[in-house]
């Protein structure tokens, strides 16, 4: 049963989800049924600590048959997808193509083979130009907007529904423009599915926005003040960025869960999302990874690149957090400045009223008006500080957690491979012992087991090489995106500052003649 | 140390709350030098004069803040000057804010890089210096108000203050006098109650009373709000320091094309924070200090009104006493003389008071005008330099 292999909440969620999905896409039927009916075979190589992580990435025992699948997968991959650009067409088009269909690596984790459905790794052996092209967004034509937050229901059961509008010319979708209504837990559900499917094979899955009990409760309770509007706006923007990042990833874009999320009008409710927060998933993934680290196994890092990159990302994480703190302080102080300026403006207006010298009185009133406009300026600038810079930084801090997670997955994969080798060794020793005992059935069994473990060792090595390759690519993509994101935000932010200053000039230049007019 | 031409220029820019007072060659006063010893500030008061009343044409004496208070209170208590607006005493030097910040900085030293710490320290030292300059200015202006007043400049105590080369503390309030001062404040509060109750005979003073009472409250409020505003502005400027420093460290570790972006951004914010800092301090000097000064000046004007109201009360009660005496035919001459005295006193107070209040209004309007113009001009100047810094950075980043 699924529950034996998965932590309760996740297990429940997946069970419910998959049950409901049975009426939906075909691809999921296999997943659902296989999850429920997979045999629980002994997995001697699994370590207790690993269970947490392994379970969140899919049923473990399934991997037994998975090995066979992957062999087939890779065989097909090399056969049927060439490295030339023309091959991209079939992947993106809707035409039924026997060997190549929209990918779902879900099949990678199920025991049942779906020969039609696996090409993720190979698909990315594209030419350098293509990769660059896509990175520049020339062939990536997709725009997602999250808008119109609407409160649905009342009291503590209320929730915010957001409209998700997609505009695209990509042919994998049925229409060019379509929108759906989604709630926050739907986003979390999407992320949890993607993380489950992709993180353990090395893909950097963008994390979903954070849950906020305080923020949401205020909204539910119906507090119509500026802080709850701000909260909703912050969340809306974060959800939009989350989707944008997700679809920018070539693999994730073609994932059926993603497409369903964007397209289908009814989405099965992701329940038990208490445990499914983006951070929660990452925490689970990382907890297992930490457990791996605690084991006194020194991975023989033959590839210095990985070590360097890990260190680099560690430093980057620290620096980004520090920068985020300083931006938060700036936002806070600017907001304070705005409030204080508004208070002064009122006070100056009162002073102007009280002043009995006519011209001075008028000038003071004008001063009050200028200061009032300026306080608005400060507030807008504080918003820019926040929405442009602070949110970018916090997004990247969370993204880096996902990156770290992926590196740790590689460690885990290596560990599995090593464990398989150790087990193989044991089996070989056992067999050689049995050679001299007169027990032909046991000997045969031992030989069978050796074969089995040889397969696992091979698979482990392949997995390890695959995840290493994937991570290299992912990191390359991540870095490119990071540079692009930051450059864009920096320019936008500076332009917002310029605008503020130019407005200030206008306001004070308008005031100056009033001051001079005091006679 | 004598001030350099640049310093003089800067000083005159600081000395903006009142129009230039030090232009009568017969008596020129300035504070060219001041020392900060722990909590006490020692001012060097320098006088240049052509008047015979003084022993030398040029001389300097060291004075403490308490000496200024003594001088003010002495003038305030002088019966003869009851009809004058006594220039408000300078506030006590207050280094609390920069000192507190310096303390916090010391505590947080471990969390920042060396460059960041140095910059913050420099910033705080500049703030400290600004407070210092402000207090020197405000003490100087006090003396210059006195020296440019036709009556007060001739005051004997004022001359002693300027000339007496020994420690003034012997002349300052002793315990008895301090108690008297406390009592005086109690009486003044009672006066305020009397003032609101008294029936004003003169339209001018009636209007002035209403105006000053209301205006005082408004300007006091405006001063507090302006102070909060300029302080918040300073905080934003300080945040730019941390921001710039962190961008710098980020850039150092960066190996991608972002390296240059981050470095340029760090440099930009280092320059911007200086501009923002200047905006905050200019607002402080031109606006907050202006409001603060005139708040105290209006209090001094109110004091004049109180004194006049007391004189009026005395006059009215002396009238009543005279009537009673006439009725009883007892000590009539005494009562008549007393009534005459009160009348004269009241009329003199009213006459000089009216003059003072009119010139006060003129002074106030001129000072506000000057400061508001200067503030607007400075705001424009700083905003323009910010724009140019920002725009050149944007252009540079876009072309790369």
């Amino acid at each position: 049963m699924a529950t034996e292999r998965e932590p309760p909440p996740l297990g429940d969620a997946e069970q419910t989800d998959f049950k409901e999905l049975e009426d939906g896409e075909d691809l999921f039927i296999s997943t659902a049924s296989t999850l429920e009916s997979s045999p629980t075979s002994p997995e001697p190589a699994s370590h207790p600590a690993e269970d947490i992580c392994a379970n969140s990435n899919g049923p473990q025992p399934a991997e037994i048959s998975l090995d066979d699948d992957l062999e087939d997968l890779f065989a097909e991959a090399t056969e049927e997808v060439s490295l030339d650009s023309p091959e991209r067409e079939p992947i993106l088009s809707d035409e039924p193509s026997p060997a190549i269909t929209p990918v779902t690596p879900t099949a990678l984790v199920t025991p049942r083979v779906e020969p039609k459905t696996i090409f993720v790794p190979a698909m990315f052996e594209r030419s350098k130009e293509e990769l660059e092209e896509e990175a520049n967004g020339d062939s990536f034509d997709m725009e997602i907007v999250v808008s119109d937050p609407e409160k649905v229901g009342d009291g503590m059961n209320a929730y915010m529904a957001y409209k998700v509008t997609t505009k695209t010319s990509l042919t994998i979708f049925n229409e060019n423009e379509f929108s759906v209504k989604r709630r926050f837990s739907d986003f979390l559900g999407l992320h949890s599915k993607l993380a489950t499917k992709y993180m353990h094979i090395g893909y950097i899955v963008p994390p979903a926005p954070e849950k906020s009990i305080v923020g949401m409760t205020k909204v539910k309770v119906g507090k119509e003040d500026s802080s709850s509007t701000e909260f909703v706006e912050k969340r809306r923007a974060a959800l939009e960025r989350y989707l944008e990042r997700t679809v920018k990833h070539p693999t994730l874009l073609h994932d059926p869960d993603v497409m369903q999320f964007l397209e289908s009008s009814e989405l099965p409710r992701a329940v038990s999302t208490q445990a499914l927060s983006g951070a929660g998933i990452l925490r689970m993934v990382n907890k297992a990874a930490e457990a791996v680290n605690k084991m006194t196994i020194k991975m023989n890092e033959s590839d210095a690149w990985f070590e360097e990159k890990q260190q680099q990302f560690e430093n980057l994480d620290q620096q980004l957090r520090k920068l985020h703190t300083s931006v938060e302080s700036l936002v806070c102080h600017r907001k304070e400045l705005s409030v204080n300026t508004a208070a002064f403006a009122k006070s100056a207006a009162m002073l102007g009223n009280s002043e009995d010298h006519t011209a001075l009185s008028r000038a003071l009133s004008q001063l009050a008006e200028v200061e009032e406009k300026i306080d608005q300026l400060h507030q807008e600038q504080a918003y820019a500080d926040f929405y442009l810079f602070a949110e970018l930084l916090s997004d990247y801090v969370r993204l880096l957690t996902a990156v770290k997670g992926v590196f740790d997955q590689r460690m885990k994969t290596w560990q599995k491979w090593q464990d398989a080798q150790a087990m193989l060794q044991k089996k070989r020793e056992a067999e050689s012992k049995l050679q001299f005992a007169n027990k032909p059935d046991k000997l045969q069994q031992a030989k069978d087991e050796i074969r089995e473990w040889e397969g696992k060792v091979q698979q482990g090595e392949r997995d390890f090489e695959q995840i290493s390759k994937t991570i290299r690519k992912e990191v390359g993509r991540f870095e490119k995106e990071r540079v692009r994101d930051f450059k864009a935000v920096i320019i936008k932010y500076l332009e917002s500052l310029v605008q503020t200053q130019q407005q200030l000039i206008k306001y004070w230049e308008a005031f100056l003649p009033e001051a001079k007019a005091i006679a | 140390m004598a001030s350099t031409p640049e310093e003089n220029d800067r000083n005159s820019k600081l000395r903006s709350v009142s129009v230039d007072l030090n232009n009568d060659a017969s008596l020129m006063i300035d504070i060219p030098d001041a020392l900060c010893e722990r909590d006490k500030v020692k001012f060097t008061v320098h006088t240049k004069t052509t008047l015979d009343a003084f022993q030398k044409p040029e001389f300097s004496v060291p004075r403490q803040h308490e000496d200024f208070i003594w001088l003010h209170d002495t003038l305030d208590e002088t019966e003869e000057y009851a009809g004058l607006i006594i220039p408000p005493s300078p506030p006590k030097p207050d280094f609390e804010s920069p000192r507190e910040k310096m303390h916090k900085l010391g505590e947080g030293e471990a969390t920042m890089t060396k460059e960041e710490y140095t910059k913050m320290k420099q910033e705080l030292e500049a703030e400290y210096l600004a407070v210092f300059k402000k207090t020197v200015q405000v003490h100087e202006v006090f003396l210059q108000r006195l020296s440019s007043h036709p009556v007060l400049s001739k005051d004997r105590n004022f001359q002693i203050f300027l000339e007496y080369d020994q420690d003034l503390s012997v002349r300052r309030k002793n315990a008895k006098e301090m108690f008297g001062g406390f009592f005086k404040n109690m009486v003044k509060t009672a006066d305020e109650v009397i003032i609101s109750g008294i029936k004003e005979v003169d339209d001018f003073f009636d209007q002035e009373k209403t105006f000053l009472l209301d205006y005082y409250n408004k300007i006091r409020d405006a001063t507090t709000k302006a102070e909060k505003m300029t302080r918040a502005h300073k905080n934003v400027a300080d945040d730019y320091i941390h921001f710039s420093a962190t961008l710098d460290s980020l850039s150092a570790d960066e190996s991608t094309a972002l390296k240059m972006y981050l470095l340029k951004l760090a440099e930009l914010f280092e320059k911007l924070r200086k501009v923002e800092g200047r905006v905050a301090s200019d607002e402080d000097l031109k606006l907050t200090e202006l409001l603060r000064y005139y708040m105290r000046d209006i209090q001094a004007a109110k004091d004049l009104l109180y004194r006049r109201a007391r004189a009026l009360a005395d006059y009215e009660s002396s009238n009543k006493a005279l009537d009673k005496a006439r009725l009883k035919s007892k000590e009539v001459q005494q009562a008549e003389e007393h009534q005459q005295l009160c009348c004269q006193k009241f009329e003199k107070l009213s006459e000089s008071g009216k003059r003072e209040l009119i010139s006060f209004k003129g002074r106030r309007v001129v000072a506000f005008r000057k400061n508001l113009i200067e503030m607007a001009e400075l705001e424009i100047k700083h905003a323009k330099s910010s724009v140019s810094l920002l725009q050149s950075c944007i252009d540079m980043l876009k072309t790369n």
Side-chain angles (χ1 to χ4, degrees):
Chain A
M1 280 308 295
T3 39
E4 287 174 295
R5 295 176 257 109
E6 293 154 331
L10 206 53
D12 292 342
E14 288 197 347
Q15 281 202 309
T16 341
D17 280 350
F18 289 120
K19 274 210 194 75
E20 285 167 303
L21 281 169
E22 271 170 36
D23 301 333
E25 293 183 43
D26 293 344
L27 294 162
F28 278 93
I29 295 177
S30 54
T31 322
S33 46
T34 43
L35 271 178
E36 284 164 22
S37 60
S38 288
T40 328
S41 42
E43 188 60 48
S46 69
H47 300 259
E50 256 185 70
D51 282 353
I52 315 159
C53 187
N55 289 338
S56 71
N57 292 322
Q60 228 172 307
E63 283 156 346
I64 304 170
S65 10
L66 185 59
D67 306 342
D68 303 328
D69 295 348
L70 280 178
E71 278 175 14
D72 291 346
L73 298 178
F74 284 113
E76 285 184 303
T78 32
E79 275 172 46
E80 268 152 275
V81 178
S82 79
L83 301 181
D84 301 328
S85 34
E87 288 307 315
R88 259 186 90 222
E89 288 297 287
I91 295 170
L92 295 176
S93 74
D94 237 352
E95 300 154 36
S97 149
I100 308 163
T101 44
V103 292
T104 166
T106 322
L108 284 169
V109 304
T110 62
R112 183 117 57 95
V113 168
E114 291 293 329
K116 303 170 199 194
T117 57
I118 315 85
F119 284 106
V120 174
M123 192 170 95
F124 291 96
E125 297 302 323
R126 280 178 280 171
S127 65
K128 191 165 169 235
E129 292 82 41
E130 282 179 286
L131 285 168
E132 276 174 12
E133 225 179 77
E134 188 179 277
N136 292 334
D138 290 1
S139 24
F140 180 75
D141 176 14
M142 190 153 176
E143 187 195 315
I144 299 190
V145 173
V146 174
S147 63
D148 304 320
E150 219 182 0
K151 186 167 162 199
V152 176
D154 262 318
M156 286 314 286
N157 289 328
Y159 63 90
M160 273 321 231
Y162 300 88
K163 186 161 129 184
V164 178
T165 310
T166 314
K167 280 198 195 118
T168 178
S169 63
L170 295 174
T171 44
I172 48 169
F173 293 99
N174 296 328
E175 287 161 43
N176 278 356
E177 187 170 338
F178 44 91
S179 52
V180 291
K181 281 255 177 210
R182 294 284 178 255
R183 54 185 292 188
F184 185 66
S185 55
D186 294 334
F187 289 80
L188 293 184
L190 174 66
H191 173 258
S192 105
K193 287 186 203 155
L194 295 176
T196 309
K197 285 195 266 187
Y198 294 97
M199 282 204 71
H200 74 289
I201 47 171
Y203 288 95
I204 301 171
V205 176
E210 287 296 322
K211 290 173 76 94
S212 163
I213 297 172
V214 174
M216 246 348 255
T217 313
K218 270 199 192 159
V219 173
K220 287 181 186 186
V221 164
K223 223 167 165 247
E224 289 281 331
D225 66 353
S226 61
S227 72
S228 50
T229 354
E230 254 181 64
F231 169 78
V232 172
E233 173 52 30
K234 181 178 166 186
R235 175 161 281 191
R236 182 211 67 76
L239 292 172
E240 194 173 274
R241 289 195 308 271
Y242 164 66
L243 286 180
E244 281 172 347
R245 286 215 175 86
T246 305
V247 300
K248 271 207 200 119
H249 194 301
T251 314
L252 299 178
L253 168 61
H254 292 84
D255 181 282
D257 281 323
V258 171
M259 297 203 292
Q260 183 193 42
F261 181 91
L262 293 173
E263 273 186 315
S264 91
S265 48
E266 286 297 313
L267 201 66
R269 172 89 194 280
V271 296
S272 309
T273 50
Q274 286 90 357
L276 288 183
S277 81
I281 295 260
L282 290 176
R283 268 195 292 274
M284 273 198 290
V285 169
N286 284 337
K287 227 193 289 177
E290 277 165 32
V292 167
N293 289 339
K294 283 195 191 110
M295 291 187 275
T296 51
I297 294 137
K298 181 114 194 339
M299 175 163 161
N300 193 6
E301 187 57 81
S302 49
D303 197 337
W305 185 90
F306 286 90
E307 217 169 290
E308 270 170 35
K309 278 295 169 188
Q310 265 185 296
Q311 189 55 50
Q312 180 196 321
F313 286 132
E314 189 58 52
N315 291 345
L316 184 63
D317 182 53
Q318 275 179 10
Q319 298 284 22
L320 288 182
R321 279 174 202 269
K322 197 159 172 234
L323 192 60
H324 183 255
T325 311
S326 114
V327 174
E328 272 193 327
S329 166
L330 176 62
V331 171
C332 179
H333 283 142
R334 228 196 269 278
K335 277 198 184 145
E336 200 184 318
L337 176 59
S338 163
V339 166
N340 291 353
T341 308
F344 173 71
K346 284 203 188 79
S347 190
M350 304 262 293
L351 187 64
N353 282 342
S354 181
E355 176 62 59
D356 63 352
H357 185 276
T358 335
L360 180 56
S361 165
R362 195 175 50 234
L364 285 171
S365 305
Q366 295 286 47
L367 179 68
E369 273 180 37
V370 168
E371 295 286 0
E372 203 181 309
K373 288 193 205 134
I374 290 178
D375 105 66
Q376 281 294 82
L377 264 187
H378 286 312
Q379 198 178 47
E380 280 161 24
Q381 185 59 61
Y383 282 146
D385 292 344
F386 180 73
Y387 283 108
L388 283 178
F389 232 104
E391 288 285 77
L392 171 78
L393 292 171
S394 66
D395 280 354
Y396 268 88
V397 165
R398 278 178 304 130
L399 268 167
L400 280 175
T401 319
V403 172
K404 280 193 263 183
V406 138
F407 274 87
D408 290 333
Q409 288 296 319
R410 177 174 171 269
M411 283 273 282
K412 217 178 67 84
T413 312
W414 180 84
Q415 189 53 47
K416 251 187 88 196
W417 175 27
Q418 298 307 305
D419 293 342
Q421 277 183 331
M423 185 54 72
L424 177 63
Q425 186 61 26
K426 260 210 241 159
K427 297 290 178 193
R428 282 194 173 136
E429 282 167 12
E431 191 238 12
S432 57
K433 281 203 195 116
L434 283 172
Q435 290 275 357
F436 302 105
N438 202 8
K439 292 180 185 157
D441 343 311
K442 283 242 170 91
L443 190 59
Q444 185 54 41
Q445 186 186 12
K447 288 203 198 287
D448 287 340
E449 283 180 357
I450 287 178
R451 265 241 319 279
E452 183 192 326
W453 282 96
E454 277 174 350
K456 283 200 187 156
V457 167
Q458 281 185 331
Q459 186 57 50
E461 185 173 4
R462 268 202 300 266
D463 284 345
F464 180 70
E465 276 170 17
Q466 185 56 46
I467 198 177
S468 301
K469 199 159 72 172
T470 307
I471 289 181
R472 275 182 185 268
K473 254 185 246 123
E474 284 288 285
V475 164
R477 210 183 62 85
F478 173 78
E479 287 287 76
K480 260 217 192 103
E481 282 230 350
R482 179 168 74 89
V483 170
R484 216 182 20 199
D485 277 351
F486 271 73
K487 275 189 183 175
V489 164
I490 287 173
I491 300 273
K492 258 206 215 129
Y493 181 60
L494 292 181
E495 285 174 346
S496 84
L497 286 172
V498 171
Q499 254 194 326
T500 302
Q501 295 296 319
Q502 282 172 335
Q503 275 299 102
L504 274 175
I505 294 174
K506 270 206 201 100
Y507 293 150
W508 286 112
E509 280 181 341
F511 173 73
L512 195 52
E514 292 290 334
K516 289 189 170 156
I518 303 171
Chain B
M1 63 203 112
S3 26
T4 64
E6 296 83 41
E7 263 179 54
N8 267 331
D9 204 29
R10 176 114 175 93
N11 278 338
S12 69
K13 284 207 185 92
L14 282 174
R15 198 189 312 126
S16 55
V17 292
S18 234
V19 280
D20 201 25
L21 297 160
N22 217 23
N23 43 21
D24 181 1
S26 63
L27 184 60
M28 303 221 311
I29 305 175
D30 70 321
I31 299 181
D33 198 356
L35 259 177
C36 196
E37 256 167 45
R38 286 159 148 247
D39 258 8
K40 293 219 168 277
V41 184
K42 271 209 172 78
F43 303 92
T44 305
V45 180
H46 168 252
T47 313
K48 237 167 138 178
T49 177
T50 58
L51 298 173
D52 294 330
F54 295 94
Q55 292 173 6
K56 289 185 265 183
E58 189 169 352
F59 46 90
S60 288
V61 291
R63 290 288 177 253
Q64 290 181 27
H65 170 73
E66 287 74 18
D67 300 329
F68 289 76
I69 302 299
W70 164 80
L71 178 59
H72 169 266
D73 290 348
T74 311
L75 294 172
D76 201 38
E77 285 159 15
T78 307
E79 191 65 39
E80 208 182 310
Y81 306 139
L84 306 175
I85 296 179
I86 310 293
S89 59
K92 199 167 166 158
D94 181 18
F95 296 98
E96 191 54 46
S97 170
R99 200 179 297 132
E100 208 182 296
K101 277 188 177 177
M102 191 69 96
H103 184 69
K104 267 203 203 130
L105 179 67
E107 281 180 349
E109 185 178 352
T111 65
M112 41 184 107
T113 65
K114 192 155 172 278
E115 294 83 28
E116 213 177 324
Y117 179 75
T118 315
K119 285 205 186 102
M120 286 296 294
K121 191 144 175 278
Q122 277 175 0
E123 202 39 53
L124 276 177
E125 281 166 2
E127 209 177 301
Y128 202 83
L129 191 63
V131 171
F132 190 65
K133 280 203 175 127
K134 254 197 279 179
T135 193
V136 165
Q137 176 217 325
V138 98
H139 283 75
E140 197 180 64
V141 164
F142 170 69
L143 295 177
Q144 289 171 346
R145 282 277 296 273
L146 292 174
S147 69
S148 55
H149 194 285
V151 176
L152 292 171
S153 57
K154 301 195 178 67
D155 180 79
R156 184 72 196 121
N157 283 311
F158 181 45
Q159 288 171 356
I160 290 169
F161 178 92
L162 292 173
E163 236 183 355
Y164 189 65
D165 56 5
Q166 307 287 322
D167 191 356
L168 268 184
S169 44
V170 287
R171 285 183 166 266
R172 282 197 271 131
K173 285 190 196 296
N174 56 29
K176 178 164 165 237
E177 281 184 338
M178 281 197 74
F179 183 70
F182 170 68
F183 185 64
K184 191 187 86 173
N185 277 335
M186 291 264 307
V187 171
K188 189 149 95 177
T189 323
D191 274 348
E192 296 188 23
V193 178
I194 294 173
I195 301 313
S196 12
I198 221 149
K199 191 148 179 314
E200 188 48 71
V201 296
D202 186 329
D203 267 348
F204 172 81
F205 281 99
D206 195 32
Q207 279 171 357
E208 280 300 301
K209 181 179 85 179
T210 318
F211 167 67
L212 285 175
L213 285 178
D214 181 41
Y215 200 75
Y216 178 74
N217 290 329
K218 301 279 161 56
I219 202 172
R220 187 175 49 183
D221 185 60
T223 308
T224 316
K225 302 274 160 63
E227 195 180 15
K228 273 183 149 171
M229 180 174 77
T230 51
R231 208 149 11 117
H233 217 132
K234 184 78 184 21
N235 285 339
V236 170
D238 285 346
D239 277 337
Y240 280 8
I241 297 180
H242 296 297
F243 192 53
S244 166
T246 317
L247 286 170
D248 218 24
S249 328
L250 244 180
S251 160
D253 283 343
E254 188 65 42
S255 52
T256 68
L258 266 186
K259 191 186 185 80
M260 200 261 304
Y261 263 70
L262 293 169
L263 194 63
K264 290 292 166 204
L265 201 63
E267 283 171 15
L268 171 69
F269 272 88
E270 174 54 27
K271 292 190 199 127
L272 276 180
R273 69 108 175 166
K274 293 206 174 101
V275 178
E276 284 299 315
R278 240 168 269 143
V279 171
S281 69
D282 284 341
E283 268 177 11
D284 186 41
L285 281 173
K286 300 292 171 191
L287 192 62
T288 313
E289 282 306 301
L290 171 77
L291 292 170
R292 202 197 310 273
Y293 188 80
Y294 277 93
M295 174 183 81
R296 288 183 284 117
D297 227 359
I298 287 175
Q299 183 61 51
K302 272 165 71 183
D303 290 344
L304 167 59
L305 284 183
Y306 296 148
R307 290 194 289 268
R308 180 181 165 277
R310 282 225 97 202
L312 179 59
D314 289 344
Y315 180 34
E316 285 182 353
S317 62
S318 77
N319 271 338
K320 286 201 190 97
L322 181 58
D323 289 341
K324 238 191 358 200
R326 283 198 177 131
L327 232 66
K328 290 187 187 162
S329 298
K330 239 166 95 176
E331 296 168 337
V332 173
Q333 192 180 13
Q334 259 180 318
E336 264 178 8
E337 276 170 14
H338 181 61
Q339 194 254 25
Q340 277 284 60
L341 234 73
C342 286
C343 178
Q344 273 170 4
K345 183 173 162 203
F346 174 67
E347 278 174 2
K348 183 170 151 225
L349 262 185
S350 297
E351 192 191 314
S352 108
K354 191 167 184 169
R355 245 197 332 256
E356 287 276 305
L357 286 170
I358 292 173
S359 89
F360 170 61
K361 187 194 307 276
R363 242 187 313 124
R364 189 178 83 244
V365 173
V366 169
F368 268 71
R369 179 179 188 276
K370 180 164 182 280
N371 280 279
L372 288 176
I373 293 175
E374 282 175 4
M375 182 172 79
E377 286 174 345
L378 283 166
E379 294 270 2
I380 294 170
K381 175 175 153 217
H382 292 317
K384 281 190 173 155
S385 75
S386 287
V387 168
S388 105
L389 281 172
L390 285 163
Q391 200 58 55
S392 67
C393 186
I394 293 176
D395 294 337
M396 188 176 9
L397 291 178
K398 273 186 170 166
T399 56
N400 266 7

